[in-house]
Amino acid sequence: MGIIVIGMNHKTAPLHIRERLSLSCDDNSRMLDEVKDISQVREVMYLATCNRVEVVANIEDSVSGVERLKFFIFSHGNLSHDEMKECLYIYRDHEAVRHLFRVASSLDSMVMGEPQILGQVKDAYRHCVEHKASGIILNKLLHHAFRVAKRVRTETGIANNAVSVSFAAVELAKKIFGYLSGKTVLIIGAGEMSELAAKHLMNNGVSKIVFANRTYENAVRLANDFHGIPIGFNLLEEKLKEVDIVISSTGAPGYIITERMIVEALRRRKNRLIFLIDIAVPRDVDPAVEDIDNVFLYNIDNLQEIVDENVKNRMREADKAEAIIADEVTNFSNWLNTLEVVPAIVSLRNKADSIIDNELEKSLSWMKDMKEDEKEKIKILASSVINKLLHDPITRLKEESQNGGADSYVAAIMRLFKLETDD
Amino acid sequence: MEKLLFKVALAAYFFSAVGYITSILVKRVFIAKTSTWVLLTAFAIHSLSIIVRWVGTGYSPVTNIFESLSFIAWAISGSYVAFQLKTKTRVLGAFVSPLAFLLMMVASVKLVDNVSMPAILQGYWVPFHIILSLVGEALFALACLAGVMYLIQDNLIKKKKSYRFTRLLPPLRDLDKINHVSLLWGFPLMTLGVIAGSIWARTVWGSHWQWDPKQIWTMISWFLYAFLLHQRLAIGWKGRKAAVFSILAFSILLFTVIGVNIFFLSVHNFM
């Protein structure tokens, strides 16, 4: 019996290899069934995200089991021997538990602290339960991992503060406007960054997005994607008087938004605050506007500085998270160790119970004249003698298991009491 | 009894001030939430002590400068708690509760059991005049505090540095709103307070207007606030300009309330 993690992530394998493995395993259910068919595999979970492909399993005989699991992944991903050697990692027992806890807590993620991974682990686990691929160990392990992830999230600041430019922009907007529902955003030009920002702003409650583009067709296309309003550049100045947030990312050589335009817009909008985000290089917004009251201008470098500061902060918090995980790995190992002695204890108890039953049956002949309550008292006496006798060895066995040295005791008990387990 | 209540309220203000400041330093919302409840308790006990005193003496609870300070502390904490329930910006508490505590400390210096009320202050209009004016002034103090925080936050966001501190302070919009609403409520209260005072002045001094320094400075403050409110409502002043002006207006008001009695000879010499 042993927990094992075999897999690859964004650190060990380049995208094209992860892709190959992940695609071949695309049919998640078939994948699980096939791994389950490996005789040494007792329980198995399969986790695939865009940054990692992992198999978490409880396998019987470590050596041959690992080899067969490795071979399975190897053949599935169509990996060459070198690729496999370079990209795959294998964690066993404590290390496997630690790895899973780190993954679930988002310490192993490309963007440390990102929240999606926990949901992905949960999905993978649900899938595994649906296919009856989980058992006592994986169930306990995964539930423990979810608890650890929650602890890390609430007790450390690992998930605090934006670590992407577009999230940083959203956070700043919230510090200016309080909340974003009912606010209007103007997006000038097209580009990956502005689309991402538009998506984040919408997720945070922005209800109306206006897309401006020199080519009106492009504005219409974006507006269709985001249920926004397309406008041409001729209406830009008009719109500046109503919108709250402006994101500009055109390829224009000069300033699209000039100081005069902002001064004029501010007068017409009765000085309502306006937040300008200029992510274009060269810049779209005249830097002079930042000296105007109630106007806030951030360019790409300003936002990047915030992100850098936040990343540093998360690094510091990660140390706290590692300590929590170390703690929880010990907790889980303790439970796992107790598991080693459980079969011995169960069969010891079974044997004791059957002895009592047998002996009482034999005594029935001379007990037949006794009253019911007297028979009952004799039964109680017999089982309490047995319990007293077993109490100390069982306690001792559990204690030894916590120290990790129960093997010899289990063997001795099995031999001395002539026990057999199903194991 | 009323002294004991006062002291308990004083202690509660102290603990809420410590709590609010700690919550900023260690960044735990839980402590700020607890501090809010402590402040609310302080406010409740303080209210009780004022009522007990009022009933006990039979006079309005604001007859000398120390009682007035205590009353201002009461009004500021009350309006802050009301705002907090609406806007959920707890950080302002780190300014409000230490202020309330300091006012209470000064007020506790002369915690006399019974005051002999000068005859001039025994008119029917006196409590109206004093309470309306003080609540108005407390709201203006809150507007000023929100203005100060607005300028700090505005500066932090504009300078693009120390994002850590930006995160601790409330959003600009909330601060501007607190400033706006405080003015909106404070101004009519102050106006009514002035009217009540002038009615009373006629009964004791024979005319509504004496060209007394206190009255002149009150008029100046009143005009400043009238101007500010006009600029906000009609011209659309918002944010920075409104914040700066509300701080300016409040410093004039503060001089009117405290400075005038020190530097001028006024018939309004009780406070």
PDB file of all heavy atoms in Angstrom, chain B residues 22-49:
ATOM      1  N   THR B  22      -5.161  49.107  15.729  1.00  0.00           N
ATOM      2  CA  THR B  22      -4.532  47.784  15.603  1.00  0.00           C
ATOM      3  C   THR B  22      -4.977  47.093  14.321  1.00  0.00           C
ATOM      4  O   THR B  22      -4.163  46.491  13.614  1.00  0.00           O
ATOM      5  CB  THR B  22      -4.925  46.889  16.799  1.00  0.00           C
ATOM      6  OG1 THR B  22      -4.822  47.658  17.984  1.00  0.00           O
ATOM      7  CG2 THR B  22      -4.009  45.678  16.879  1.00  0.00           C
ATOM      8  N   SER B  23      -6.262  47.195  14.014  1.00  0.00           N
ATOM      9  CA  SER B  23      -6.778  46.493  12.831  1.00  0.00           C
ATOM     10  C   SER B  23      -6.084  46.989  11.567  1.00  0.00           C
ATOM     11  O   SER B  23      -5.879  46.231  10.628  1.00  0.00           O
ATOM     12  CB  SER B  23      -8.288  46.676  12.715  1.00  0.00           C
ATOM     13  OG  SER B  23      -8.591  47.935  12.183  1.00  0.00           O
ATOM     14  N   ILE B  24      -5.712  48.271  11.552  1.00  0.00           N
ATOM     15  CA  ILE B  24      -4.992  48.786  10.376  1.00  0.00           C
ATOM     16  C   ILE B  24      -3.585  48.219  10.338  1.00  0.00           C
ATOM     17  O   ILE B  24      -3.080  47.811   9.295  1.00  0.00           O
ATOM     18  CB  ILE B  24      -4.940  50.328  10.418  1.00  0.00           C
ATOM     19  CG1 ILE B  24      -6.317  50.877  10.081  1.00  0.00           C
ATOM     20  CG2 ILE B  24      -3.911  50.849   9.443  1.00  0.00           C
ATOM     21  CD1 ILE B  24      -6.317  52.337   9.831  1.00  0.00           C
ATOM     22  N   LEU B  25      -2.962  48.152  11.525  1.00  0.00           N
ATOM     23  CA  LEU B  25      -1.560  47.712  11.562  1.00  0.00           C
ATOM     24  C   LEU B  25      -1.435  46.225  11.224  1.00  0.00           C
ATOM     25  O   LEU B  25      -0.523  45.837  10.504  1.00  0.00           O
ATOM     26  CB  LEU B  25      -0.954  47.996  12.940  1.00  0.00           C
ATOM     27  CG  LEU B  25      -0.839  49.495  13.265  1.00  0.00           C
ATOM     28  CD1 LEU B  25      -0.263  49.704  14.650  1.00  0.00           C
ATOM     29  CD2 LEU B  25       0.018  50.208  12.230  1.00  0.00           C
ATOM     30  N   VAL B  26      -2.338  45.407  11.761  1.00  0.00           N
ATOM     31  CA  VAL B  26      -2.194  43.968  11.508  1.00  0.00           C
ATOM     32  C   VAL B  26      -3.112  43.480  10.389  1.00  0.00           C
ATOM     33  O   VAL B  26      -3.099  42.306  10.049  1.00  0.00           O
ATOM     34  CB  VAL B  26      -2.439  43.121  12.777  1.00  0.00           C
ATOM     35  CG1 VAL B  26      -1.510  43.558  13.892  1.00  0.00           C
ATOM     36  CG2 VAL B  26      -3.877  43.213  13.223  1.00  0.00           C
ATOM     37  N   LYS B  27      -3.883  44.388   9.799  1.00  0.00           N
ATOM     38  CA  LYS B  27      -4.733  44.071   8.643  1.00  0.00           C
ATOM     39  C   LYS B  27      -5.686  42.913   8.916  1.00  0.00           C
ATOM     40  O   LYS B  27      -5.694  41.926   8.200  1.00  0.00           O
ATOM     41  CB  LYS B  27      -3.873  43.724   7.427  1.00  0.00           C
ATOM     42  CG  LYS B  27      -3.009  44.869   6.963  1.00  0.00           C
ATOM     43  CD  LYS B  27      -2.187  44.429   5.777  1.00  0.00           C
ATOM     44  CE  LYS B  27      -0.995  45.336   5.596  1.00  0.00           C
ATOM     45  NZ  LYS B  27      -0.006  44.783   4.720  1.00  0.00           N
ATOM     46  N   ARG B  28      -6.426  43.009   9.997  1.00  0.00           N
ATOM     47  CA  ARG B  28      -7.435  41.979  10.251  1.00  0.00           C
ATOM     48  C   ARG B  28      -8.807  42.631  10.345  1.00  0.00           C
ATOM     49  O   ARG B  28      -9.032  43.480  11.205  1.00  0.00           O
ATOM     50  CB  ARG B  28      -7.125  41.216  11.548  1.00  0.00           C
ATOM     51  CG  ARG B  28      -6.022  40.192  11.409  1.00  0.00           C
ATOM     52  CD  ARG B  28      -6.525  38.919  10.714  1.00  0.00           C
ATOM     53  NE  ARG B  28      -5.459  37.952  10.502  1.00  0.00           N
ATOM     54  CZ  ARG B  28      -4.674  37.929   9.425  1.00  0.00           C
ATOM     55  NH1 ARG B  28      -4.823  38.823   8.480  1.00  0.00           N
ATOM     56  NH2 ARG B  28      -3.740  37.013   9.297  1.00  0.00           N
ATOM     57  N   VAL B  29      -9.694  42.252   9.452  1.00  0.00           N
ATOM     58  CA  VAL B  29     -11.032  42.853   9.412  1.00  0.00           C
ATOM     59  C   VAL B  29     -11.786  42.546  10.707  1.00  0.00           C
ATOM     60  O   VAL B  29     -12.549  43.356  11.203  1.00  0.00           O
ATOM     61  CB  VAL B  29     -11.816  42.326   8.202  1.00  0.00           C
ATOM     62  CG1 VAL B  29     -13.177  42.981   8.134  1.00  0.00           C
ATOM     63  CG2 VAL B  29     -11.044  42.602   6.935  1.00  0.00           C
ATOM     64  N   PHE B  30     -11.514  41.355  11.243  1.00  0.00           N
ATOM     65  CA  PHE B  30     -12.214  40.919  12.445  1.00  0.00           C
ATOM     66  C   PHE B  30     -12.071  41.939  13.574  1.00  0.00           C
ATOM     67  O   PHE B  30     -13.043  42.276  14.248  1.00  0.00           O
ATOM     68  CB  PHE B  30     -11.652  39.552  12.872  1.00  0.00           C
ATOM     69  CG  PHE B  30     -12.063  39.142  14.254  1.00  0.00           C
ATOM     70  CD1 PHE B  30     -13.365  38.720  14.493  1.00  0.00           C
ATOM     71  CD2 PHE B  30     -11.163  39.202  15.302  1.00  0.00           C
ATOM     72  CE1 PHE B  30     -13.746  38.354  15.753  1.00  0.00           C
ATOM     73  CE2 PHE B  30     -11.541  38.835  16.566  1.00  0.00           C
ATOM     74  CZ  PHE B  30     -12.842  38.413  16.803  1.00  0.00           C
ATOM     75  N   ILE B  31     -10.849  42.461  13.758  1.00  0.00           N
ATOM     76  CA  ILE B  31     -10.615  43.420  14.837  1.00  0.00           C
ATOM     77  C   ILE B  31     -11.391  44.709  14.577  1.00  0.00           C
ATOM     78  O   ILE B  31     -11.983  45.293  15.488  1.00  0.00           O
ATOM     79  CB  ILE B  31      -9.110  43.713  14.980  1.00  0.00           C
ATOM     80  CG1 ILE B  31      -8.356  42.396  15.200  1.00  0.00           C
ATOM     81  CG2 ILE B  31      -8.852  44.674  16.140  1.00  0.00           C
ATOM     82  CD1 ILE B  31      -6.856  42.566  15.260  1.00  0.00           C
ATOM     83  N   ALA B  32     -11.410  45.127  13.304  1.00  0.00           N
ATOM     84  CA  ALA B  32     -12.145  46.345  12.969  1.00  0.00           C
ATOM     85  C   ALA B  32     -13.635  46.160  13.241  1.00  0.00           C
ATOM     86  O   ALA B  32     -14.304  47.064  13.747  1.00  0.00           O
ATOM     87  CB  ALA B  32     -11.906  46.709  11.503  1.00  0.00           C
ATOM     88  N   LYS B  33     -14.144  44.962  12.916  1.00  0.00           N
ATOM     89  CA  LYS B  33     -15.558  44.690  13.157  1.00  0.00           C
ATOM     90  C   LYS B  33     -15.871  44.759  14.653  1.00  0.00           C
ATOM     91  O   LYS B  33     -16.865  45.346  15.070  1.00  0.00           O
ATOM     92  CB  LYS B  33     -15.933  43.303  12.624  1.00  0.00           C
ATOM     93  CG  LYS B  33     -16.205  43.300  11.139  1.00  0.00           C
ATOM     94  CD  LYS B  33     -16.659  41.915  10.687  1.00  0.00           C
ATOM     95  CE  LYS B  33     -16.886  41.887   9.192  1.00  0.00           C
ATOM     96  NZ  LYS B  33     -16.924  40.529   8.664  1.00  0.00           N
ATOM     97  N   THR B  34     -14.989  44.126  15.451  1.00  0.00           N
ATOM     98  CA  THR B  34     -15.175  44.161  16.895  1.00  0.00           C
ATOM     99  C   THR B  34     -15.134  45.602  17.387  1.00  0.00           C
ATOM    100  O   THR B  34     -15.957  46.012  18.209  1.00  0.00           O
ATOM    101  CB  THR B  34     -14.067  43.351  17.587  1.00  0.00           C
ATOM    102  OG1 THR B  34     -13.879  42.143  16.860  1.00  0.00           O
ATOM    103  CG2 THR B  34     -14.425  43.046  19.024  1.00  0.00           C
ATOM    104  N   SER B  35     -14.181  46.385  16.880  1.00  0.00           N
ATOM    105  CA  SER B  35     -14.054  47.774  17.308  1.00  0.00           C
ATOM    106  C   SER B  35     -15.324  48.557  17.022  1.00  0.00           C
ATOM    107  O   SER B  35     -15.709  49.424  17.797  1.00  0.00           O
ATOM    108  CB  SER B  35     -12.874  48.434  16.592  1.00  0.00           C
ATOM    109  OG  SER B  35     -11.734  47.662  16.730  1.00  0.00           O
ATOM    110  N   THR B  36     -15.950  48.236  15.896  1.00  0.00           N
ATOM    111  CA  THR B  36     -17.202  48.921  15.563  1.00  0.00           C
ATOM    112  C   THR B  36     -18.255  48.657  16.637  1.00  0.00           C
ATOM    113  O   THR B  36     -18.954  49.576  17.060  1.00  0.00           O
ATOM    114  CB  THR B  36     -17.722  48.436  14.201  1.00  0.00           C
ATOM    115  OG1 THR B  36     -16.673  48.600  13.246  1.00  0.00           O
ATOM    116  CG2 THR B  36     -18.930  49.242  13.774  1.00  0.00           C
ATOM    117  N   TRP B  37     -18.327  47.407  17.084  1.00  0.00           N
ATOM    118  CA  TRP B  37     -19.290  47.074  18.133  1.00  0.00           C
ATOM    119  C   TRP B  37     -18.927  47.762  19.438  1.00  0.00           C
ATOM    120  O   TRP B  37     -19.804  48.239  20.161  1.00  0.00           O
ATOM    121  CB  TRP B  37     -19.367  45.558  18.326  1.00  0.00           C
ATOM    122  CG  TRP B  37     -20.130  44.917  17.214  1.00  0.00           C
ATOM    123  CD1 TRP B  37     -19.614  44.171  16.203  1.00  0.00           C
ATOM    124  CD2 TRP B  37     -21.531  45.015  16.960  1.00  0.00           C
ATOM    125  NE1 TRP B  37     -20.613  43.791  15.339  1.00  0.00           N
ATOM    126  CE2 TRP B  37     -21.796  44.284  15.778  1.00  0.00           C
ATOM    127  CE3 TRP B  37     -22.586  45.645  17.617  1.00  0.00           C
ATOM    128  CZ2 TRP B  37     -23.075  44.169  15.246  1.00  0.00           C
ATOM    129  CZ3 TRP B  37     -23.860  45.528  17.084  1.00  0.00           C
ATOM    130  CH2 TRP B  37     -24.096  44.804  15.909  1.00  0.00           C
ATOM    131  N   VAL B  38     -17.626  47.841  19.737  1.00  0.00           N
ATOM    132  CA  VAL B  38     -17.198  48.534  20.950  1.00  0.00           C
ATOM    133  C   VAL B  38     -17.587  50.009  20.867  1.00  0.00           C
ATOM    134  O   VAL B  38     -18.091  50.589  21.828  1.00  0.00           O
ATOM    135  CB  VAL B  38     -15.672  48.374  21.161  1.00  0.00           C
ATOM    136  CG1 VAL B  38     -15.212  49.178  22.362  1.00  0.00           C
ATOM    137  CG2 VAL B  38     -15.307  46.911  21.334  1.00  0.00           C
ATOM    138  N   LEU B  39     -17.374  50.594  19.677  1.00  0.00           N
ATOM    139  CA  LEU B  39     -17.723  52.007  19.498  1.00  0.00           C
ATOM    140  C   LEU B  39     -19.233  52.208  19.662  1.00  0.00           C
ATOM    141  O   LEU B  39     -19.676  53.170  20.292  1.00  0.00           O
ATOM    142  CB  LEU B  39     -17.270  52.483  18.109  1.00  0.00           C
ATOM    143  CG  LEU B  39     -17.501  53.966  17.810  1.00  0.00           C
ATOM    144  CD1 LEU B  39     -16.738  54.849  18.789  1.00  0.00           C
ATOM    145  CD2 LEU B  39     -17.098  54.305  16.394  1.00  0.00           C
ATOM    146  N   LEU B  40     -19.979  51.281  19.123  1.00  0.00           N
ATOM    147  CA  LEU B  40     -21.441  51.356  19.241  1.00  0.00           C
ATOM    148  C   LEU B  40     -21.852  51.284  20.712  1.00  0.00           C
ATOM    149  O   LEU B  40     -22.718  52.042  21.171  1.00  0.00           O
ATOM    150  CB  LEU B  40     -22.077  50.206  18.443  1.00  0.00           C
ATOM    151  CG  LEU B  40     -23.575  50.331  18.166  1.00  0.00           C
ATOM    152  CD1 LEU B  40     -23.837  51.495  17.239  1.00  0.00           C
ATOM    153  CD2 LEU B  40     -24.104  49.047  17.537  1.00  0.00           C
ATOM    154  N   THR B  41     -21.193  50.397  21.461  1.00  0.00           N
ATOM    155  CA  THR B  41     -21.460  50.289  22.894  1.00  0.00           C
ATOM    156  C   THR B  41     -21.102  51.591  23.603  1.00  0.00           C
ATOM    157  O   THR B  41     -21.876  52.099  24.421  1.00  0.00           O
ATOM    158  CB  THR B  41     -20.620  49.141  23.500  1.00  0.00           C
ATOM    159  OG1 THR B  41     -20.698  48.022  22.629  1.00  0.00           O
ATOM    160  CG2 THR B  41     -21.112  48.770  24.880  1.00  0.00           C
ATOM    161  N   ALA B  42     -19.923  52.120  23.252  1.00  0.00           N
ATOM    162  CA  ALA B  42     -19.500  53.388  23.853  1.00  0.00           C
ATOM    163  C   ALA B  42     -20.553  54.465  23.603  1.00  0.00           C
ATOM    164  O   ALA B  42     -20.935  55.207  24.513  1.00  0.00           O
ATOM    165  CB  ALA B  42     -18.154  53.817  23.259  1.00  0.00           C
ATOM    166  N   PHE B  43     -21.031  54.496  22.374  1.00  0.00           N
ATOM    167  CA  PHE B  43     -22.029  55.495  21.995  1.00  0.00           C
ATOM    168  C   PHE B  43     -23.312  55.315  22.810  1.00  0.00           C
ATOM    169  O   PHE B  43     -23.880  56.287  23.329  1.00  0.00           O
ATOM    170  CB  PHE B  43     -22.314  55.380  20.498  1.00  0.00           C
ATOM    171  CG  PHE B  43     -23.407  56.287  20.028  1.00  0.00           C
ATOM    172  CD1 PHE B  43     -23.203  57.659  19.937  1.00  0.00           C
ATOM    173  CD2 PHE B  43     -24.646  55.777  19.673  1.00  0.00           C
ATOM    174  CE1 PHE B  43     -24.207  58.501  19.507  1.00  0.00           C
ATOM    175  CE2 PHE B  43     -25.660  56.611  19.239  1.00  0.00           C
ATOM    176  CZ  PHE B  43     -25.439  57.973  19.158  1.00  0.00           C
ATOM    177  N   ALA B  44     -23.731  54.063  22.969  1.00  0.00           N
ATOM    178  CA  ALA B  44     -24.961  53.786  23.719  1.00  0.00           C
ATOM    179  C   ALA B  44     -24.828  54.203  25.178  1.00  0.00           C
ATOM    180  O   ALA B  44     -25.709  54.874  25.742  1.00  0.00           O
ATOM    181  CB  ALA B  44     -25.306  52.300  23.610  1.00  0.00           C
ATOM    182  N   ILE B  45     -23.697  53.836  25.803  1.00  0.00           N
ATOM    183  CA  ILE B  45     -23.480  54.179  27.210  1.00  0.00           C
ATOM    184  C   ILE B  45     -23.378  55.692  27.375  1.00  0.00           C
ATOM    185  O   ILE B  45     -23.934  56.280  28.300  1.00  0.00           O
ATOM    186  CB  ILE B  45     -22.217  53.486  27.736  1.00  0.00           C
ATOM    187  CG1 ILE B  45     -22.403  51.967  27.686  1.00  0.00           C
ATOM    188  CG2 ILE B  45     -21.899  53.923  29.163  1.00  0.00           C
ATOM    189  CD1 ILE B  45     -21.144  51.190  27.960  1.00  0.00           C
ATOM    190  N   HIS B  46     -22.680  56.308  26.413  1.00  0.00           N
ATOM    191  CA  HIS B  46     -22.529  57.757  26.434  1.00  0.00           C
ATOM    192  C   HIS B  46     -23.916  58.433  26.351  1.00  0.00           C
ATOM    193  O   HIS B  46     -24.207  59.368  27.109  1.00  0.00           O
ATOM    194  CB  HIS B  46     -21.644  58.165  25.254  1.00  0.00           C
ATOM    195  CG  HIS B  46     -21.126  59.566  25.352  1.00  0.00           C
ATOM    196  ND1 HIS B  46     -20.276  60.106  24.431  1.00  0.00           N
ATOM    197  CD2 HIS B  46     -21.342  60.534  26.266  1.00  0.00           C
ATOM    198  CE1 HIS B  46     -19.995  61.359  24.770  1.00  0.00           C
ATOM    199  NE2 HIS B  46     -20.632  61.639  25.884  1.00  0.00           N
ATOM    200  N   SER B  47     -24.753  57.923  25.439  1.00  0.00           N
ATOM    201  CA  SER B  47     -26.115  58.471  25.315  1.00  0.00           C
ATOM    202  C   SER B  47     -26.841  58.381  26.648  1.00  0.00           C
ATOM    203  O   SER B  47     -27.481  59.342  27.094  1.00  0.00           O
ATOM    204  CB  SER B  47     -26.925  57.686  24.275  1.00  0.00           C
ATOM    205  OG  SER B  47     -26.186  57.488  23.116  1.00  0.00           O
ATOM    206  N   LEU B  48     -26.699  57.221  27.283  1.00  0.00           N
ATOM    207  CA  LEU B  48     -27.367  56.994  28.566  1.00  0.00           C
ATOM    208  C   LEU B  48     -26.885  58.005  29.600  1.00  0.00           C
ATOM    209  O   LEU B  48     -27.671  58.596  30.354  1.00  0.00           O
ATOM    210  CB  LEU B  48     -27.068  55.553  29.019  1.00  0.00           C
ATOM    211  CG  LEU B  48     -28.073  54.942  29.979  1.00  0.00           C
ATOM    212  CD1 LEU B  48     -29.426  54.846  29.305  1.00  0.00           C
ATOM    213  CD2 LEU B  48     -27.594  53.562  30.420  1.00  0.00           C
ATOM    214  N   SER B  49     -25.552  58.230  29.616  1.00  0.00           N
ATOM    215  CA  SER B  49     -25.001  59.152  30.617  1.00  0.00           C
ATOM    216  C   SER B  49     -25.521  60.569  30.383  1.00  0.00           C
ATOM    217  O   SER B  49     -25.792  61.307  31.315  1.00  0.00           O
ATOM    218  CB  SER B  49     -23.471  59.095  30.603  1.00  0.00           C
ATOM    219  OG  SER B  49     -22.926  60.108  29.804  1.00  0.00           O
TER     220      SER B  49
END
